[in-house]
Amino acid sequence: MAGPTPYMALAFILFVIGATGLLTRRDALIMFMSVELMLNAVNLTFVAAGRAIGNFTGQISVFFVLVVAAAEVVVGLAIIVAVFQKRNSASVDELSEMKG
Amino acid sequence: MDLLLDNLWLIIALPLAGAIALHFAGRFLPEPLPGIAAAGAIGLAFVIAAIAFVPLATGDAEPRTLMLWEWMPGLGAAFEIRWDQLSALMTLIITGVGMLIHIYSVGYMHGDPRFSRFFTYLNLFAASMLTLVLASNFAMMFVGWELVGLCSYLLISFWFTRPSAAAAGKKAFVVNRIGDFAFIVGLMLIFSQFGSLSMSETVLNHPGEVISPSMATAIAILFLIGAAGKSAQIPLYVWLPDAMEGPTPVSALIHAATMVTAGVYLIARNAAIFELSPVALPIVATVGAATALVAALIAIGQNDIKKVLAYSTVSQLGYMFLAVGSAGYVAGVFHLMTHAFFKALLFLGAGSVIHGMHEEQDMRKMGGLRKAMPITHATMLVATLAIAGIFPFAGFFSKDEILAAVFANGGYYFVLWGVGLFTAFLTAFYMTRQYIMVFWGTPRWVEGLKPHESSLWMTVPLMVLAVLSAGAGFINAPQLLTLEHYLDPVFEALHPAHLESELPRLLGMDGLALGLALVSLAVALTGIGTALYVYARSSERFREWFANATRRPMAASENAFWVDKFYGKTIVLPGKKLAQGMATFDSSFVDGTVNSVAGAVKRIGMALKPLQTGYVRSYGAGFVAGVIGLVIFFLTRGGV
């Protein structure tokens, strides 16, 4: 059984991909997917670390993260749909009217 | 009876209710109604006061204190009414004369666009003054004290569209504030010494058990300054002649029945404290005598019918101060009462003249009004004789009693007696001069003017006041001394330690009292005779010679010895300069500091504004950068 290191490496790669996606894409849907990627990267570290130290608390935390992520997606998708209906686009750069 | 005595607060509440009702409903009422309502309110208060006065006067009832409600228990300040001989007498004067002035005003203010507003103020004035005299507590007294100041401001500047009226109101208010300041400090001393603001037995009758003579001196002097402001004594009298800018009934109300008597009342009420001090009473008497003399000298040269009366008021108030300063408290209060009658009559008569002359106030443009205004003429003659001190009119008795009280103290007071006597001569002189200029001789009024007698609204109060001015002196005539006996309980506890008053003995027997009375009567007659000779009987050549010979002193008198100018140069102008400097400091330094701080914040905000791009990705980048920064921070610091 390998140590947690490979899992951690994979989680790091996934997180970086997610973060890069979040920072570079303009489409709100893609950005959401990137956020999911980052969350799952974190989930992976929880599971790996929990198994490595023989404690299930980390794995239980994953469920919380999943629930919160699901709730976030519900609200977020509703907003995105509403915005799309209004503007026929889901590009976040067009929603910059609140700038200073 | 008891029911009435338990509800004496009605005396204050009635005019106050009148003022409140008129404030809200007055403008919807047609003309005479607000006046009738206001006169009714104070008239009812007079009736209540008169009924409640009877048992007190007959000795069937004791003075009482009526607790209305606790106000600031920690200070001993409550709303409580003191119904004793002195406050009852003051209440009768205020409500009685006040009611007559209200009735007169219905005629005088006829056609004024702010008719009902005028009566709102009059009623409020009466309520304030009644609060002042009925207070059994320095805090409540101070409430009334300040309220009469406010009302005088409102009424003097009633015709506020005239700049002079607005300025006069302001002047009255500001000069009064100077006196009020001293009064407040005096009240603080009272509180610090007695531990309460209540006019307890100790304060009123035995202050010596608590305070030392030097402390009594301090309180007395501060009270004197406060009284000088309200009662227009040297050096704070300058507001009162200017107060003539208000409607004439206001002058009558302020000068005769209410505000200006507050100072005399204050000193009479706190006589025990003044008695305790070795110097306070002579100072009060000196201030009074000096004021009486100076104001009388100024009155001689005035040509405005109301200005003569204004300075006459200042002078007569000086008499009252002279009286209380000579421990002749009853004489002072007596003169306060008779003066209320004849000075109210004089002012209302002058108002009637002004009315009949179509707003002409310059006596040089009057003359010969005797036939055109018979009632006004007759009543004014009574008032003139009364103030001049001619037997048997009211002023004779009260003035004579004051002079006797001053004389009885001996020593330094002989000088003051002489001053008082000379002032009596001047009083008779300038009042006769006014009477002659207005009513005698050939008409000097403008072409086409038809003077007419005033309406009944105005002449009936004149006639009532004339009866009072003629007869009120007998209330305290020698041998009878009704007022003396009546007021005895208030002042009996006072034992003038510094002034060996022999007044009772003097008045009771020997020929001295009679002699003094004859001297003052002779002086008054001389004054009248001199004025008659100078202004009515003498030849044209003598008159010319007289005018030339007295040109310089008359000019000084006409200009009131330039005191106003002097105050303007020494106090008002530096004050204005200081205020201007402060204003510059405020607008440049204070505002500049505040504005530059605000400007700096604004500039920082402007500089930071571009950070808010509205692009989610740039916020995200900042977020990630922050996280990376934190991670690096913790890693280099060697763990969390």
Side-chain angles (χ1 to χ4, degrees), chain B residues 226-248:
Chain B
K230 276 277 173 296
S231 289
Q233 297 295 292
I234 285 176
L236 298 177
Y237 69 91
V238 285
W239 65 270
L240 200 120
D242 284 37
M244 295 299 102
E245 288 290 340
T248 309

Side-chain angles (χ1 to χ4, degrees), chain B residues 87-140:
Chain B
S87 66
L89 184 70
M90 292 293 291
T91 304
L92 283 180
I93 296 171
I94 294 162
T95 51
V97 179
M99 175 179 64
L100 293 173
I101 293 169
H102 275 66
I103 295 171
Y104 174 94
S105 304
V106 175
Y108 191 85
M109 297 304 285
H110 173 74
D112 194 282
R114 289 159 74 238
F115 186 81
S116 84
R117 178 48 49 103
F118 183 74
F119 286 96
T120 311
Y121 293 160
L122 276 194
N123 257 0
L124 187 64
F125 205 134
S128 316
M129 190 66 195
L130 290 167
T131 309
L132 197 168
V133 296
L134 286 173
S136 179
N137 193 293
F138 284 109
M140 182 176 164

Side-chain angles (χ1 to χ4, degrees), chain A residues 4-57:
Chain A
T5 316
Y7 301 99
M8 288 297 183
L10 177 60
F12 179 71
I13 294 165
L14 283 176
F15 190 88
V16 171
I17 294 172
T20 313
L22 185 74
L23 293 180
T24 53
R25 303 302 288 259
R26 299 176 183 193
D27 194 291
L29 272 173
I30 307 293
M31 288 168 74
F32 250 114
M33 289 160 66
S34 306
V35 169
E36 290 301 315
L37 214 52
M38 287 158 75
L39 286 172
N40 279 320
V42 173
N43 282 345
L44 191 56
T45 61
F46 272 135
V47 174
R51 179 168 174 108
I53 59 174
N55 186 329
F56 290 99
T57 319

Side-chain angles (χ1 to χ4, degrees), chain B residues 180-191 197 218-219 222-223:
Chain B
D180 293 351
F181 176 73
F183 186 40
I184 295 175
V185 178
L187 290 186
M188 288 172 180
L189 282 184
I190 290 264
F191 181 72
L197 285 173
I219 295 173
L222 288 166
F223 275 12

Side-chain angles (χ1 to χ4, degrees), chain A residues 19 22-26 31 92-93 95-96 98-100, chain B residues 609-610 612-622 624:
Chain A
L22 185 74
L23 293 180
T24 53
R25 303 302 288 259
R26 299 176 183 193
M31 288 168 74
V92 288
D93 280 6
L95 302 174
S96 61
M98 300 281 275
K99 70 181 168 200
Chain B
K609 203 172 84 169
Q612 296 276 83
T613 57
Y615 296 119
V616 178
R617 284 171 303 130
S618 66
Y619 301 157
V624 170

Side-chain angles (χ1 to χ4, degrees), chain B residues 52 93 215 399 439 551 560 575:
Chain B
I93 296 171
M215 181 52 75
K399 200 178 284 185
F439 292 106
R551 195 165 43 86

Side-chain angles (χ1 to χ4, degrees), chain B residues 208-234:
Chain B
E209 292 169 9
V210 180
I211 55 175
S212 63
S214 55
M215 181 52 75
T217 307
I219 295 173
I221 298 298
L222 288 166
F223 275 12
L224 172 64
I225 299 173
K230 276 277 173 296
S231 289
Q233 297 295 292
I234 285 176

